[in-house]
Amino acid sequence: MSSDQSSPDARTDEWAHSPAPAAPAPAPDGTNEPQGIGLAPDHRVETLPPLEEMHHGVPVSARTGEPHRTGALVALQCCFYAAAGASGLGYALYWWRAMHVAGFDRSAWIVGWLDPRPGGAGSIALVLALAALVVVMVGAPCVAAYQAWTGERLARRLSLVALAAACPGALFNPLACAAIPLAAAGAVLARARGMTDYLDAWEALRAPAPRSEDTGGPVFYGRLPRFQ
């Protein structure tokens, strides 16, 4: 047997004299229940400040870490997304009717007013204009709802844009017109007390924490004494 190899008895003796693993650290409250492996450190363990301090005193949700959603915000979301859905369904109904040449003149109110020839340049231009218009009608309330959900004060101005974008529903059919009162309700809710509190909470949460400047003592100007 080579010199670098040890016998089984020697290895057994080595294991027998090896130090035992550290006992679990006692619980901080003085109980005898183990709280992990190893000994508790002698120095103080730095921890994060309380949640209220981290969020500048703003009450936040434990699940999302964001301000609590208010009832006015939830109602606003329902109104704006319902307005977008009404505009989209109204356009879909118009498109379904316009697919059939026999009912093209009755596909939308504006088509009946202008009465373009099906397949002509006027009808093609009108169809393209209505397609571009419905993008704004559906997109404006969705953008306003999203900005309100994320706590942006811009949502109040966008709510008026969403209301204006819903008004062209009067060119389509009664289903598209339903978006107008829904968008109006959303614009009113954007200025409700619950929304104001929600926007204030987001503004306080996004505000940078005030920092105190520490000069670190008096500042010496000129040549240092050791170099004089």
Side-chain angles (χ1 to χ4, degrees):
M1 182 180 295
S2 60
S3 59
D4 58 344
Q5 293 180 351
S6 58
S7 63
D9 295 338
R11 289 197 297 268
T12 303
D13 295 340
E14 181 181 354
W15 295 339
H17 292 85
S18 60
D29 55 359
T31 60
N32 295 327
E33 296 181 1
Q35 298 293 324
I37 300 176
L39 299 176
D42 297 333
H43 61 278
R44 179 176 179 271
V45 178
E46 298 294 337
T47 59
L48 294 175
L51 192 62
E52 294 78 12
E53 182 179 345
M54 291 180 60
H55 293 81
H56 309 169
V58 178
V60 296
S61 172
R63 183 176 59 88
T64 63
E66 299 176 352
H68 294 283
R69 317 295 182 187
T70 61
L73 174 67
V74 175
L76 178 145
Q77 301 293 310
C78 295
C79 289
F80 276 145
Y81 284 121
S87 297
L89 292 176
Y91 179 81
L93 179 60
Y94 144 74
W95 185 259
W96 175 259
R97 293 174 176 173
M99 289 174 58
H100 306 84
V101 178
F104 179 77
D105 57 338
R106 300 184 303 275
S107 59
W109 290 332
I110 189 174
V111 177
W113 299 336
L114 299 179
D115 194 20
R117 181 177 62 85
S123 64
I124 295 176
L126 181 59
V127 167
L128 294 177
L130 294 179
L133 186 61
V134 77
V135 173
V136 179
M137 294 171 60
V138 174
C142 292
V143 173
Y146 176 77
Q147 293 297 323
W149 185 265
T150 55
E152 298 290 345
R153 290 192 182 275
L154 181 63
R156 289 184 166 176
R157 296 182 181 179
L158 292 178
S159 65
L160 300 178
V161 176
L163 176 58
C167 291
L171 304 177
F172 287 90
N173 44 52
L175 184 55
C177 285
I180 300 176
L182 291 170
V188 172
L189 288 170
R191 290 152 180 82
R193 176 62 183 275
M195 274 302 303
T196 301
D197 296 340
Y198 181 72
L199 297 177
D200 291 343
W202 264 112
E203 184 174 344
L205 188 62
R206 292 190 176 108
R211 297 182 179 179
S212 59
E213 297 183 0
D214 186 8
T215 59
V219 180
F220 182 84
Y221 294 94
R223 181 178 294 181
L224 295 176
R226 64 176 179 271
F227 296 115
Q228 295 179 356

